[in-house]
Amino acid sequence: MTFLQHPVSEDRPVRVALIGAGWIGSFHAESVAHRIPNARLAAIADPALPAVETLASRLRVSKISADPADVISDPEIDAVLIAAPARFHSGLIAAAARAGKDVFCEKPGGRTIEELDEALEAADSAGIVVQFGFNRRYAADFAAARKLIDGGSVGVPQLLRSLTRDPGTAAGISNPDRIPPGTIFLETLIHDFDTLNWLNPGAVPVRVHAVADALVAPDAKAGGLLDTAVVTVTYSNGAIAVAEANFNALYGYDVRGEVFGSAGMVTAGGPQATSATSYTAAGIGADTVRLNVDLFHDAYTAELAHFVDAVKARRDGVPGPATPGPGGTDARNALAVALAALRSAETGLPVDVASVAELRAAEPELHPVGDGA
């Protein structure tokens, strides 16, 4: 008998370097180090070296640097996890691509379409895996909603809604002067824009109208802070979506989505920590989540596990995950909506997305079985 050669995945873990040792970078580092079996946290880089040293000691990482270029050029690193400030994202993606490193990058992929396109072109030329941190796709309830949409439960989407309300306190926003202008669109609502795009597969956003103000911290508005926003997005299939955000929800961290269509409706999300609800003389109550890493703990881990599986498959020459993670087209589409919303909030007028960027759908158009569409 003559045996055929069949490719199999190697046992060697994917060696990941973290760039950015802040809040979310540290949580991602813990996931790679402790929660993803086929990955190894091999290096950490951040100009704030004391933060790097603290994290490296806790996670037992021997390679550290104040310069991201060190880990990008290291031949013993397979992939980089970019959790640096947004203004560095595109440049780091491009540098990693040129070094042949696979990339997981937190949102947004860039601050402008032009710089993101340059980074994506470098990634395409290198043939690397690039995945962006749109974690809601990996939350169990949002993933279940998308599965119902794919199965035709809502028919053709007609009305969509997504909201993000960050947890707050009675004292309001702490250090509002540290929040860069445009954050509510480029770093908060960009999650909602990706969620809406993803829950309306095959359609692209065509027009955006945004209204925003500083209602939580009015004194900070002069410095460019907007802490409350509502954005209407019209899609190529006629669907109308609304995204809203606020930086100070006293009751907890609240993220929700909803899709209403020709055959029904699906919903996902909410601020409750569990489904347990108390009914007492004081009223009806439920515990709520206060941190993003608690509300999306499993989703954050799942998105990185998906990325590592894709990197390992590319390295070993075997088939990767059946469903690709959010990639360059997804990041570009969400960024275009965010930039259009920013422009609309400044002018008070609707903005055609085509004036920001020409978009293409990341997925085929949805044709629910049994629907008249």
Side-chain angles (χ1 to χ4, degrees), residues 277-333:
T277 304
S278 64
Y279 297 80
T280 69
I284 300 173
D287 290 335
T288 57
V289 175
R290 298 284 166 165
L291 296 174
N292 59 338
V293 294
D294 291 332
L295 185 62
F296 289 113
H297 181 283
D298 293 344
Y300 280 130
T301 304
E303 67 178 352
L304 286 178
H306 188 281
F307 169 70
V308 168
D309 287 345
V311 172
K312 200 169 191 297
R314 185 181 82 85
R315 184 193 70 189
D316 299 343
V318 299
T323 302
T329 300
D330 300 295
R332 195 174 185 274
N333 289 355

Side-chain angles (χ1 to χ4, degrees), residues 13-40:
V14 172
R15 299 164 299 186
V16 179
L18 171 70
I19 300 176
W23 168 259
I24 194 61
S26 296
F27 182 82
H28 284 327
E30 292 173 1
S31 293
V32 174
H34 298 312
R35 294 187 280 271
I36 302 175
N38 56 350
R40 179 168 69 86

Side-chain angles (χ1 to χ4, degrees), residues 234-289:
T234 305
Y235 281 86
S236 57
N237 64 349
I240 302 169
V242 174
E244 68 167 78
N246 183 280
F247 286 167
N248 199 56
L250 299 186
Y251 59 88
Y253 189 41
D254 191 1
V255 172
R256 282 178 273 156
E258 177 182 294
V259 180
F260 172 89
S262 57
M265 181 178 74
V266 296
T267 64
Q272 291 85 357
T274 72
S275 59
T277 304
S278 64
Y279 297 80
T280 69
I284 300 173
D287 290 335
T288 57
V289 175

Side-chain angles (χ1 to χ4, degrees), residues 113 190 205 208 331-341 353 356-357 359:
I113 293 293
I190 198 164
V208 173
R332 195 174 185 274
N333 289 355
L335 178 60
V337 178
L339 292 171
V353 179
V356 176
L359 303 186

Side-chain angles (χ1 to χ4, degrees), residues 72 90-101 118-119 122-123 126 128:
I72 289 174
S90 289
L92 289 170
I93 293 169
R98 288 191 289 268
K101 312 298 186 189
E118 184 176 345
I128 62 167

